Amino acid sequence: MLPKKEVIYQQLDGSQAVRLLDDLCNVYIESFGVSRENSAAKEVAVFRERFPGFCESPGFSLVTAGNGGRMVGFGYGITLPEKTGWWSGSLTPLPEEIVTERAGRTFAFIDLAVIPAFQRQGIASQIHDTLLAGRTEERATLTVHAESTVAHAAYAKWGWHSVGQRRNPMPGNPLVDIMVKPLQGRSQRSPRSEDLAQTLR
């Protein structure tokens, strides 16, 4: 049974987030079923190594979910730079409108994790919505494991669309779907944002 305590959400900047690295790693391990004894533990090492760099990136934001003083979930992302490798390596060519970056155009949703005991409680949805609320970018992008039907269903419900696939440079090089979602940010449904929405349909 879940503790009868309210789930508290916090939105943090990079200087605050980097101090939570150990807690984030613990949630990552529990959420994704990573055992410290198997090869998948390499993913945690990569996460630990990369996260401080993300904290220093433009547009970084972290949202955490806590219950009873314990972190039970998190999500974070950054603004993609104009020169980014995010769209590289797609297994099929992507439309020019998708791969073209402009300053402040795209928010990359890097990770979303909730520990099993707190899943299916609307926590992931709240983290997702809080992280994207008020963003000034015209769109967001993320990658999700191609075989993860549960995650795909959730992201589709939240307005995300697959635009292609690539191999993720994480241990094991898993096949991932590249997804995009128009935002109500700076563009305020500008013609470019409308063109993107048409491209994704």
Side-chain angles (χ1 to χ4, degrees):
M1 178 179 290
L2 295 179
K4 293 182 178 180
K5 294 183 179 179
E6 183 182 3
V7 175
I8 304 297
Y9 299 90
Q10 290 187 298
Q11 191 156 18
L12 307 170
D13 62 22
S15 63
Q16 298 166 316
V18 73
R19 296 195 291 267
L20 300 177
L21 183 54
D22 287 341
D23 289 337
L24 294 165
C25 285
N26 288 335
V27 172
Y28 189 99
I29 289 167
E30 192 169 348
S31 299
F32 297 118
V34 176
S35 167
R36 289 180 172 86
E37 287 75 37
N38 65 29
S39 60
K42 294 178 182 177
E43 294 185 18
V44 182
V46 172
F47 175 86
R48 181 178 289 276
E49 180 181 353
R50 296 173 64 195
F51 187 77
F54 285 131
C55 290
E56 297 177 356
S57 299
F60 174 88
S61 183
L62 168 74
V63 173
T64 63
N67 177 269
R70 176 194 181 192
M71 188 186 298
V72 299
F74 69 84
Y76 71 94
I78 63 170
T79 304
L80 290 181
E82 288 187 74
K83 295 182 179 179
T84 176
W86 182 270
W87 308 106
S88 302
S90 175
L91 301 183
T92 56
L94 297 177
E96 191 68 19
E97 174 58 20
I98 294 293
V99 302
T100 300
E101 283 300 335
R102 299 179 286 275
R105 183 188 187 198
T106 308
F107 179 73
F109 201 132
I110 306 296
D111 273 317
L112 175 61
V114 177
I115 65 174
F118 285 81
Q119 291 174 5
R120 302 183 183 280
Q121 305 294 319
I123 294 173
S125 176
Q126 185 62 48
I127 292 172
H128 169 276
D129 292 350
T130 303
L131 188 58
L132 294 183
R135 297 300 310 186
T136 59
E137 297 88 354
E138 69 182 66
R139 64 178 184 175
T141 183
L142 57 77
T143 61
V144 59
H145 284 220
E147 75 280 4
S148 181
T149 56
V150 173
H152 270 282
Y155 287 124
K157 181 180 179 181
W158 299 338
W160 295 82
H161 304 267
S162 295
V163 296
Q165 291 185 321
R166 70 170 183 235
R167 291 287 175 183
N168 193 314
M170 292 289 283
N173 297 117
L175 182 66
V176 297
D177 286 330
I178 307 165
M179 306 190 82
V180 175
K181 172 184 170 67
L183 298 178
Q184 297 282 350
R186 181 184 60 189
S187 60
Q188 294 295 315
R189 307 305 295 170
S190 67
R192 283 176 175 171
S193 185
E194 293 290 353
D195 289 345
L196 173 63
Q198 290 293 333
T199 302
L200 297 177
R201 292 193 182 108

